[in-house]
Amino acid sequence: MFRLVSTYRSRHISESLPLFQARRTLFSTSVNVLQRTSDEDGDKRIDFDRLFKSCNRLHLAKLLHALVVVAGKARSIFFSAKLVNVYAYLGDVSFSRRTFDQIPNKDVYTWNSMVSAYVRTGHFREAVDCFYQFFLTSGLRPDFYTFAPVLKACKNPLDGMRIHCLVLKLGFEWDVFVTASLVHMYTRFRALGNARKLFDDMPVRDMGSWNAMISGYCQNSNAAEALDVLNEMRSEGVLMDPVTIVSILPICAQLDDILNGMSIHVYSIKRGLEYDLFVSNALINMYAKFGELAIAQKVFDNMVVRDVVSWNSITSAYEQNDDPTRALALFYDMQLSGISPDYLTLVSLSSIVAQLGDSWNGKSVHGFVMRRGWILKDVISGNSVVDMYSKLGDMSSAGAVFQALPVKDVVSWNTLITGYTQNGLASEAIEVFDMMQKEIAPNQATWVSILPAYSNIGALQQGMRVHGLLVKSSLYLDIFVGTCLIDMYGKCGKLDDAMSLFYEVPKMTSVPWNAIISCHGIHGHAEKALKLFREMREERVKPDHVTFVSLLSACSHSGLVEEGQWCFNVMREEYGIEPILKHYGCMVDMFGRAGHLEKAYNFIKDMPVKPDASVWGALLGACRIHGNIDLGAFASERLFEVDSENVGYYVLMSNIYANIGKWEGVDKVRTLARDMGLRKTPGWSSIEANNKVDVFYTGNQSHPKCEEIYKELRNLNAKMRSLGYVPDYSFVLQDVEEDEKEHILMSHSERLAIAFGIISTPPKTPIRIFKNLRVCGDCHNATKYISKITEREIIVRDSNRFHHFKDGVCSCSDYW
């Protein structure tokens, strides 16, 4: 992936050459300036000004320092202050301080230089301490140049307020330069009220003042207020400069206000600012957020000068808009242009590789980051590699990179937790979260990452504990955290609690609506889901493609074919949302479940896009339900063409043959899967009891309460038979004797979990079971009997939907 510069045997010579040339340059310059020229009085002088301008390396600065000492200028405030600044510009603040300490009589300019040196090199605490030393011990009075750097160095509001008091005491509050620095300082600490009062009280405002207030609002996501200040600025006849434009363009994207963004673009063209490097980069980023890639590309193509930020911006524009192929081509163009990638380039590249599912180039990205040493120096690079491996499904590598990170921030932990959750490894995600709490405080993104893990395994009690923590911090009202809580309660079978939360969180966007509609759909309450959709329309909340996937899925599980067709038409005709493969898959599933197999097949033939595995899989699943072996065989052939490595489809076809007793067909399909090295996903069911999640696999006999579980199952079996239960051996997919078939049915994972729940919880309390595969027909029938015998509500969530068993009846009405 990466073209590296050729390495020669004489590499050490080429590496030494720049150093040699630099020293030769200094020597030449020194020879010129050290030529002693006599003036009228016979004095001799050295052109130090030229020497200071020639210093672009640390070792040259040290040579110049030595020359200053030899020339007897070391005690000069003027020369010493210049040396302080030179060392700071070259990144060595320790030499700046040593030089500063040697100055016997320091003036205000010297102190200002030292404070600025600390700020320039990122030593903010030292800068503040140096300022206090200046103010308290020097006997000098700071000037207006003193405050800008030290206010920038303040890392807590208390220091900033102390310095503000000194500004007032010394009478600098009317200085426009100082007040603009105070405005900027307060906005950094989110004290926007203080910043705005200072800004409003300014008798005169320069461009820096306006920009400080606008950027402060922008950085704190106060979009409306930022635009108000901009309008006030324009009404006073002050023209926007590049800094203003760069600050305001992201706000246009945040407000989804493309017209305002384009008007600013037109303004920049009229004022001749469109070729400004920073303005062009900001325009590319803004248009990327709107998905206007053609305009972003045109801005990029018209740029006279491009830096690494320009290339990163256009590459990430395509990456963020799901065009990884074009993004990768731009990365290659960037290399050819001679621009070296930085760590932000690698963040985009990692995402590109993940979108392409390119594991081979994923290793190349990892190797490149390692060779540059970025994974050790910059946590962002390490986080992006962890995220890349997670999206590629390689959690082993993701975990290894995470462990190797020398510094782990909250994003590092969140990335690994999300990776485990999205790859179906909920238990591992929860384990990492528990480790994280001992190391670092979770943030909003952490809760959004971990709550789906509790949902996946049905860990209701653990999820409720997290809810308690969120209530204390008031984060549960955050739209994203609140939506995850709605989803967690809905998927853990507590639909009433999900609804209660839904009415509390903000509902201005489709996100919480989608969650609650989906929850009702998987519980089989399609009519309630449709009612919520109508309420959503009345509230003028615009649905998105996720909304319609949830609605179509709900209609499919409840057999509401006409309503589902209405939703599909509304999506296209009223909202202009073009169906994607998920929508087509839901429609095929809906027709197929209702027994309209021919209609489902014709729908597939009329699709404007090529059907994928989800579409053919929906048809195959319907063929299994309705026993259509011919159409099922055809669907399986198409499936194996588009996704030959998904073992689930082989299992489906095998089940179709087994249901009608065609064991030779079963053997053929199983042999085909075996020859491809595929293994059937083992069925498991989980139950949360006594604050612990227990997982049972089919035929499991390793549980500590194994004997009690099977004893309970035998007792239940006898009671069920007395009520008329007859085992359905068609769900036993092995060609064995009837006694063995009955034992196989009794050993299914959901029955083991139910029996464990009965012996582990108080009588007549609800039991919640979570299964990774679809519940079999015989277990569905048996659970109805068990709910009646034990007088319990048994809630089972399988891979498709919820089943609420109570008094011998299931909420699905046997339509599943």
Side-chain angles (χ1 to χ4, degrees):
M1 173 172 285
F2 302 100
R3 298 186 179 94
L4 302 177
V5 178
S6 302
T7 303
Y8 301 101
R9 292 182 180 177
S10 57
R11 180 179 177 184
H12 60 284
I13 296 176
S14 61
E15 287 179 343
S16 303
L17 190 57
L19 183 61
F20 171 75
Q21 290 172 335
R23 286 181 175 170
R24 187 188 66 184
T25 301
L26 177 70
F27 177 75
S28 301
T29 305
S30 301
V31 168
N32 291 332
V33 300
L34 289 175
Q35 291 175 349
R36 298 172 182 265
T37 55
S38 299
D39 58 17
E40 293 178 357
D41 300 321
D43 291 336
K44 297 176 181 178
R45 56 188 170 81
I46 300 172
D47 190 351
F48 280 104
D49 186 53
R50 284 189 64 190
L51 281 175
F52 273 105
K53 290 178 180 177
S54 301
C55 270
N56 56 5
R57 298 282 192 282
L58 184 59
H59 70 280
L60 299 182
K62 292 177 181 178
L63 290 172
L64 177 57
H65 193 169
L67 183 61
V68 168
V69 172
V70 170
K73 306 287 187 181
R75 300 177 71 82
S76 163
I77 292 178
F78 174 75
F79 283 107
S80 296
K82 291 195 78 170
L83 283 169
V84 168
N85 288 324
V86 165
Y87 281 129
Y89 276 115
L90 296 175
D92 195 330
V93 75
S94 63
F95 271 92
S96 291
R97 184 70 200 205
R98 290 181 194 177
T99 306
F100 174 79
D101 289 340
Q102 295 299 316
I103 302 173
N105 299 309
K106 304 175 181 70
D107 61 3
V108 174
Y109 174 73
T110 315
W111 282 100
N112 289 350
S113 297
M114 192 63 241
V115 172
S116 297
Y118 278 127
V119 175
R120 193 176 296 118
T121 54
H123 294 77
F124 299 121
R125 183 67 256 171
E126 290 85 347
V128 175
D129 291 342
C130 185
F131 168 78
Y132 285 141
Q133 183 185 0
F134 166 33
F135 183 74
L136 297 172
T137 66
S138 70
L140 299 171
R141 185 178 188 271
D143 61 13
F144 57 87
Y145 287 114
T146 309
F147 293 100
V150 76
L151 285 168
K152 183 180 178 181
C154 292
K155 285 302 173 185
N156 63 73
L158 185 59
D159 278 331
M161 293 172 75
R162 284 173 179 163
I163 294 171
H164 188 182
C165 290
L166 292 177
V167 168
L168 295 172
K169 183 177 180 180
L170 296 171
F172 287 110
E173 68 271 22
W174 303 123
D175 183 274
V176 66
F177 186 58
V178 174
T179 307
S181 300
L182 283 167
V183 168
H184 182 69
M185 182 271 296
Y186 278 119
T187 58
R188 281 195 296 116
F189 296 121
R190 305 182 69 85
L192 296 175
N194 292 350
R196 186 58 192 258
K197 187 176 187 309
L198 279 167
F199 178 78
D200 290 339
D201 290 343
M202 292 177 73
V204 178
R205 299 171 187 146
D206 65 354
M207 197 70 239
S209 310
W210 289 102
N211 287 339
M213 197 66 246
I214 290 171
S215 65
Y217 278 129
C218 293
Q219 290 163 9
N220 287 281
S221 301
N222 291 67
E225 290 86 346
L227 290 176
D228 287 343
V229 175
L230 177 66
N231 292 332
E232 184 184 346
M233 168 182 152
R234 297 170 82 171
S235 69
E236 292 189 15
V238 181
L239 298 176
M240 290 187 289
D241 67 358
V243 176
T244 320
I245 294 172
V246 169
S247 298
I248 211 70
L249 284 175
I251 287 297
C252 297
Q254 183 182 328
L255 292 173
D256 199 24
D257 186 358
I258 191 169
L259 291 178
N260 211 347
M262 294 182 81
S263 70
I264 292 172
H265 188 182
V266 170
Y267 170 88
S268 68
I269 293 171
K270 288 181 178 178
R271 302 294 303 176
L273 300 175
E274 78 274 21
Y275 297 117
D276 180 274
L277 180 63
F278 300 105
V279 171
S280 295
N281 291 343
L283 284 167
I284 292 170
N285 285 322
M286 181 195 71
Y287 283 121
K289 294 289 191 301
F290 289 120
E292 297 289 346
L293 296 181
I295 305 178
Q297 184 69 57
K298 189 173 181 180
V299 172
F300 179 78
D301 292 340
N302 290 336
M303 291 179 73
V304 178
V305 178
R306 299 174 186 142
D307 62 0
V308 67
V309 177
S310 314
W311 286 99
N312 288 348
S313 298
I314 193 66
T315 302
S316 65
Y318 284 96
E319 172 255 316
Q320 290 169 8
N321 284 279
D322 302 321
D323 191 352
T325 304
R326 174 64 180 149
L328 187 60
L330 281 164
F331 170 72
Y332 288 137
D333 291 344
M334 174 183 174
Q335 287 190 298
L336 292 173
S337 72
I339 299 289
S340 297
D342 62 6
Y343 68 93
L344 289 178
T345 315
L346 269 295
V347 171
S348 291
L349 190 60
S350 299
S351 178
I352 291 166
V353 168
Q355 288 182 45
L356 292 170
D358 190 347
S359 298
W360 178 262
N361 273 330
K363 298 288 185 184
S364 297
V365 172
H366 187 184
F368 187 80
V369 173
M370 291 292 289
R371 287 194 299 275
R372 291 289 181 100
W374 289 342
I375 209 160
L376 299 176
K377 298 175 186 175
D378 184 84
V379 70
I380 295 175
S381 299
N383 293 344
S384 67
V385 174
V386 173
D387 182 61
M388 176 190 71
Y389 278 126
S390 298
K391 289 176 178 174
L392 289 170
D394 186 357
M395 289 311 302
S396 175
S397 297
V401 174
F402 174 81
Q403 291 296 336
L405 293 178
V407 177
K408 301 176 180 69
D409 63 4
V410 68
V411 178
S412 312
W413 291 94
N414 292 348
T415 303
L416 190 65
I417 291 169
T418 302
Y420 279 125
T421 302
Q422 293 178 347
N423 282 280
L425 301 169
S427 298
E428 288 82 352
I430 293 169
E431 184 180 343
V432 172
F433 173 67
D434 291 340
M435 291 167 55
M436 174 188 179
Q437 289 182 292
K438 299 173 185 175
E439 301 286 336
I440 194 169
N443 64 3
Q444 175 202 28
T446 313
W447 307 118
V448 173
S449 301
I450 194 60
L451 283 167
Y454 294 129
S455 304
N456 290 347
I457 62 170
L460 177 62
Q461 298 301 318
Q462 295 180 56
M464 290 174 72
R465 279 199 294 274
V466 169
H467 187 187
L469 294 173
L470 293 171
V471 168
K472 289 180 181 178
S473 61
S474 297
L475 267 176
Y476 75 103
L477 293 177
D478 175 87
I479 186 169
F480 298 106
V481 175
T483 299
C484 287
L485 283 168
I486 291 168
D487 183 70
M488 187 272 293
Y489 279 112
K491 288 182 177 176
C492 287
K494 301 279 283 185
L495 200 52
D496 290 342
D497 290 338
M499 279 299 295
S500 297
L501 268 168
F502 172 73
Y503 288 122
E504 290 187 59
V505 301
K507 294 181 282 295
M508 287 82 74
T509 70
S510 63
V511 176
W513 291 94
N514 293 346
I516 198 66
I517 288 171
S518 174
C519 288
H520 279 87
I522 61 175
H523 281 270
H525 304 318
E527 292 181 357
K528 177 64 176 175
L530 290 166
K531 183 183 176 184
L532 284 163
F533 176 60
R534 286 190 286 271
E535 290 178 15
M536 180 182 182
R537 282 156 60 93
E538 289 169 6
E539 295 285 335
R540 299 188 181 279
V541 178
K542 186 179 178 181
D544 55 21
H545 71 280
V546 177
T547 315
F548 288 101
V549 169
S550 300
L551 284 168
L552 292 171
S553 178
C555 292
S556 173
H557 286 134
S558 298
L560 303 182
V561 176
E562 290 184 9
E563 290 84 349
Q565 289 177 293
W566 174 78
C567 289
F568 191 76
N569 292 332
V570 165
M571 175 181 71
R572 291 190 300 178
E573 295 168 9
E574 289 192 29
Y575 294 101
I577 299 174
E578 285 301 313
I580 59 175
L581 286 165
K582 285 184 178 180
H583 300 119
Y584 288 117
C586 288
M587 290 297 288
V588 171
D589 187 61
M590 181 180 68
F591 289 134
R593 284 179 188 273
H596 307 312
L597 295 178
E598 186 176 347
K599 194 171 186 178
Y601 176 55
N602 290 333
F603 183 84
I604 293 174
K605 290 196 294 183
D606 293 338
M607 283 171 53
V609 294
K610 184 180 179 181
D612 69 349
S614 67
V615 176
W616 289 116
L619 182 61
L620 181 60
C623 292
R624 184 195 59 78
I625 293 170
H626 299 288
N628 190 325
I629 190 170
D630 294 331
L631 187 57
F634 175 80
S636 68
E637 289 174 9
R638 303 288 81 76
L639 260 175
F640 299 156
E641 289 174 4
V642 295
D643 189 2
S644 60
E645 296 185 0
N646 190 322
V647 69
Y649 302 134
Y650 293 88
V651 173
L652 264 178
M653 194 63 220
S654 172
N655 291 353
I656 292 175
Y657 283 124
N659 285 341
I660 60 172
K662 278 199 167 187
W663 299 109
E664 67 279 2
V666 173
D667 292 338
K668 181 180 177 181
V669 174
R670 288 180 178 174
T671 300
L672 182 62
R674 195 181 306 114
D675 290 344
M676 294 189 66
L678 303 177
R679 297 181 62 185
K680 179 183 175 183
T681 303
W684 58 261
S685 298
S686 68
I687 178 172
E688 187 178 26
N690 303 318
N691 295 322
K692 180 186 174 187
V693 177
D694 283 85
V695 179
F696 295 88
Y697 289 86
T698 298
N700 185 292
Q701 295 188 356
S702 60
H703 196 275
K705 294 190 175 182
C706 177
E707 289 186 13
E708 297 173 61
I709 290 169
Y710 277 98
K711 181 180 178 182
E712 182 65 27
L713 284 172
R714 286 191 292 270
N715 292 337
L716 288 170
N717 222 31
K719 292 176 182 178
M720 287 192 299
R721 282 184 175 277
S722 69
L723 294 176
Y725 165 72
V726 178
D728 188 347
Y729 296 138
S730 67
F731 290 97
V732 178
L733 306 178
Q734 291 94 354
D735 189 11
V736 294
E737 297 297 327
E738 286 200 0
D739 289 348
E740 183 65 20
K741 288 182 178 181
E742 185 170 358
H743 178 74
I744 290 171
L745 288 174
M746 192 174 69
S747 300
H748 279 185
S749 64
E750 53 265 57
R751 292 207 209 179
L752 297 175
I754 290 170
F756 175 74
I758 291 170
I759 65 176
S760 303
T761 59
K764 299 185 180 182
T765 56
I767 295 174
R768 290 181 173 83
I769 307 296
F770 299 85
K771 183 173 172 63
N772 68 326
L773 303 177
R774 185 177 181 273
V775 65
C776 88
D778 185 70
C779 288
H780 186 271
N781 190 33
T783 308
K784 289 194 287 187
Y785 281 100
I786 296 171
S787 70
K788 187 173 184 179
I789 292 166
T790 59
E791 299 181 28
R792 291 178 184 253
E793 181 181 10
I794 302 174
I795 303 158
V796 178
R797 190 189 85 190
D798 67 8
S799 59
N800 289 329
R801 59 165 295 158
F802 269 91
H803 300 268
H804 293 257
F805 300 92
K806 191 173 183 181
D807 299 325
V809 179
C810 179
S811 61
C812 72
S813 301
D814 295 337
Y815 186 87
W816 53 285

